Amino acid sequence: MLFAALALIWGLSFVAIKTGLESVPPVLLAAVRHDIAAVVLLGYALWQGRALRPQTRDDWSLIFIGGTVLIGAHFALLFLGQQYVPSSFGAILLSLTPVVTPAFASTLLPRYTVRPHELIGTVCGFIGVVIIANPTPGAIGGRLLGVVLLISSAVAFAVGAVLTERYTSSLSLVSIQTWMTLLGAAILHLISAGLPSERLGTVSVGLEQIAAIAYLGIVASAIGFLLYFRLVSTVGAAETSLVSYVVPAVTALSGWLLLGETLSSVTVAGFAVIVVGFAWVKADVLRSLRRRHTGSPSHRPCGPQDDCVVVSGNTYWTHD
């Protein structure tokens, strides 16, 4: 139920983004989303009695990386790209994140090496993106620009997620996320202020846009984050990461029902190739999940003494 709820919440968020973009500039919309989320997370942290003051250098490093890369760069690129393509494109292309993560982990994490099946999966993922981008003369233009921005958004998130694995925080996840969100919102406001196309005079929100912004800030960001980590603690990070491949289906269905969008057979084929790439990258994890659900004792999580790392909710073993 948690898994289904999270997939539904995050799937609908892309429809909410498209609705908000009808009258609010993209980066400003992302900034306001995180303004709301930061207030909700701060209130939740205070209600739970969580310590909020950063104590260590790792705390500050995590806050800086999360605020600038995971939120600032990632969401600026995501919202800019989403204005050129259907809502489902954002969800589909962001599902590329766990596929490309091993490539950055091998460079940025000293103990991590890319294995052959992960390399095959990464190549499959990019082939899927090329199919979705459909780089024909008729597709050149706004759509291609949107695809490039969305891929850049996925890459930014993957890099940020890997970099955060180099640090250990003394604060709770909720406290760290609160600081990341506050910093990210401030950075998004700075980016918005520096873009000539983003002016408050162009904002004209109606009831639909207000509802979309509230949904993005409260439900998709704050509640979605809390559900995500509750799910990780319940079923594990590896199984939770599979939500990335349910979200596009939710987005496509809701985009069709609410926005009248359609998916071409080419886009569906590209997504299928990305899913194949994911299966290659996560071959070890998928095998362990199969053993877990068949009752085999060979499944084991990534423990503190194991040679493995958890990157953006995905477990990567440094040896077989």
Side-chain angles (χ1 to χ4, degrees):
M1 290 179 66
L2 285 172
F3 188 95
L6 186 61
L8 179 63
I9 286 171
W10 282 353
L12 286 172
S13 70
F14 289 91
V15 176
I17 291 172
K18 288 296 289 185
T19 302
L21 288 174
E22 292 175 2
S23 56
V24 182
V27 183
L28 180 60
L29 177 62
V32 174
R33 167 184 181 166
H34 287 90
D35 290 338
I36 298 171
V39 171
V40 175
L41 287 171
L42 180 60
Y44 180 80
L46 292 172
W47 178 59
Q48 290 285 309
R50 306 293 176 88
L52 284 169
R53 183 179 177 183
Q55 300 288 335
T56 66
R57 187 172 183 176
D58 278 15
D59 289 342
W60 289 109
S61 297
L62 280 169
I63 292 167
F64 177 77
I65 293 169
T68 57
V69 183
L70 285 175
I71 293 180
H74 166 64
F75 280 100
L77 292 166
L78 170 61
F79 279 59
L80 284 168
Q82 195 66 73
Q83 62 186 328
Y84 298 107
V85 297
S87 59
S88 56
F89 270 52
I92 289 173
L93 292 175
L94 284 188
S95 70
L96 185 69
T97 300
V99 178
V100 300
T101 296
F104 296 107
S106 65
T107 303
L108 300 172
L109 297 177
R111 298 178 62 197
Y112 185 82
T113 56
V114 175
R115 290 168 291 178
H117 66 84
E118 292 174 329
L119 183 60
I120 293 171
T122 301
V123 172
C124 279
F126 277 110
I127 291 174
V129 169
V130 171
I131 294 172
I132 292 171
N134 189 24
T136 60
I140 299 296
R143 171 174 159 166
L144 186 60
L145 175 59
V147 170
V148 170
L149 289 168
L150 289 168
I151 293 172
S152 301
S153 173
V155 169
F157 192 90
V159 171
V162 171
L163 287 174
T164 60
E165 288 299 316
R166 303 173 67 171
Y167 306 97
T168 302
S169 175
S170 66
L171 298 176
S172 67
L173 287 169
V174 172
S175 299
I176 282 291
Q177 185 69 24
T178 299
W179 282 111
M180 287 180 179
T181 306
L182 285 167
L183 177 59
I187 289 171
L188 288 166
H189 277 293
L190 287 174
I191 295 173
S192 176
L195 294 175
S197 59
E198 304 226 347
R199 292 291 177 265
L200 288 175
T202 63
V203 177
S204 175
V205 296
L207 207 54
E208 286 186 1
Q209 285 71 42
I210 293 173
I213 294 169
Y215 180 87
L216 289 170
I218 299 172
V219 182
S221 295
I223 296 177
F225 161 76
L226 296 173
L227 275 180
Y228 174 82
F229 284 104
R230 175 68 181 275
L231 194 59
V232 168
S233 67
T234 304
V235 301
E239 204 157 345
T240 302
S241 69
L242 298 176
V243 76
S244 298
Y245 292 87
V246 181
V247 166
V250 175
T251 303
L253 179 60
S254 56
W256 172 63
L257 289 172
L258 301 175
L259 303 178
E261 296 177 345
T262 58
L263 274 181
S264 69
S265 58
V266 172
T267 303
V268 174
F271 178 57
V273 174
I274 292 176
V275 173
V276 171
F278 172 83
W280 273 102
V281 168
K282 307 291 286 184
D284 291 345
V285 173
L286 293 175
R287 278 197 296 268
S288 70
L289 291 176
R290 182 166 55 99
R291 295 189 192 108
R292 172 183 172 180
H293 290 296
T294 56
S296 171
S298 60
H299 170 79
R300 61 190 178 98
C302 178
Q305 304 303 319
D306 291 321
D307 291 329
C308 60
V309 292
V310 180
V311 178
S312 187
N314 306 309
T315 303
Y316 300 107
W317 294 90
T318 52
H319 64 79
D320 291 321

